[in-house]
Structures are given as structure tokens and as C-alpha cells.
Amino acid sequence: MVADAFDADDTARVVSLAQVGDGMILDIGPQTAEEYARVLRAAKTIVFNGPMGVYEKPAYQNGTRVIGEAIADATKHGAVSVVGGGDAAAAAHALGFAGAMTHVSTGGGATLEFLEGKTLPGIAALER
């Protein structure tokens, strides 16, 4: 999904990557969203670390909504889902899928570092 400028919602349109030109990419398109969702529905562990587009604007919410609903469906069927990061958590709450996730955290960078096996500063301080 592209538009001529960030605040030019009336110019929002779905195009192929080759057709983006000078437009701003503000969301993933419906075909990409459905392909990602298909893969996510079969996953057993999912980490969602950021929205697909500018979810705060109605014209660019679809990609994040489709992905969130797919993660919620996978979670309902036994997947473990972690939403990590302020924007990701805000999108999950705003679009209504936060309650279907296994865990929602505003700590995006910390979530990724924890998953990498790094010792988090707060945990290290407690261990001392």
C-alpha cells in the first residue's frame, strides 16, 4: 500500500513493488498480508515485534490487522505468541488482538535480546 505522501490518504493504493516509484510504502498489500498470515497460522512460536504499516491511520491498518488475526488464530490452536515492542503492543491493543496473545510487552529491544540469550541489565543487577 503506497501513497504520494504520509498525509495523503486519499492517494492510497495497492501496487506491486516494481510500481512503487516515488510513493511512500505505508502498509503491506493484501496479497502479502494473506501469504504471511498463511505461514503464521501454521507456526508454533511467533514473535511480533512491530506493525506491518502505519496502523494508526485507517487506510494503512489492514496489513497489521490481518497479521494480528492470524497470530491470534495460531495462538488459539496452541502456538506461543509474543508481542514485543511499544508500537507492536499499541497496535495489538488498538486493533483488538492483544487479548488473544500469549504475552504482550512494551519491551521490544529487551524481548529480542532475551530471545537471543543475552543477559538483560535488570536481571544481571538482581543476580548480583
Side-chain angles (χ1 to χ4, degrees):
M1 174 76 63
V2 300
D4 294 338
F6 184 76
D7 288 321
D9 296 358
D10 59 326
T11 67
R13 61 202 180 281
V14 175
V15 299
S16 71
L17 188 56
Q19 296 172 310
V20 170
D22 292 333
M24 293 182 70
I25 299 174
L26 298 168
D27 194 11
I28 58 174
Q31 287 179 309
T32 300
E34 285 305 324
E35 182 62 21
Y36 288 175
R38 183 186 64 75
V39 172
L40 288 165
R41 283 188 192 98
K44 298 297 179 201
T45 304
I46 303 166
V47 177
F48 179 70
N49 194 248
M52 301 295 105
V54 184
Y55 74 91
E56 301 92 339
K57 298 178 127 243
Y60 313 114
Q61 291 178 346
N62 188 63
T64 302
R65 180 178 289 108
V66 169
I67 297 309
E69 290 170 356
I71 297 170
D73 188 47
T75 305
K76 181 174 136 182
H77 291 95
V80 173
S81 56
V82 176
V83 175
D87 285 334
H93 285 287
L95 299 179
F97 56 85
M101 303 297 139
T102 305
H103 181 74
V104 178
S105 169
T106 57
T111 298
L112 294 176
E113 287 184 13
F114 176 75
L115 292 172
E116 287 178 43
K118 293 182 178 177
T119 302
L120 301 178
I123 302 298
L126 291 172
E127 291 174 341
R128 286 192 295 258

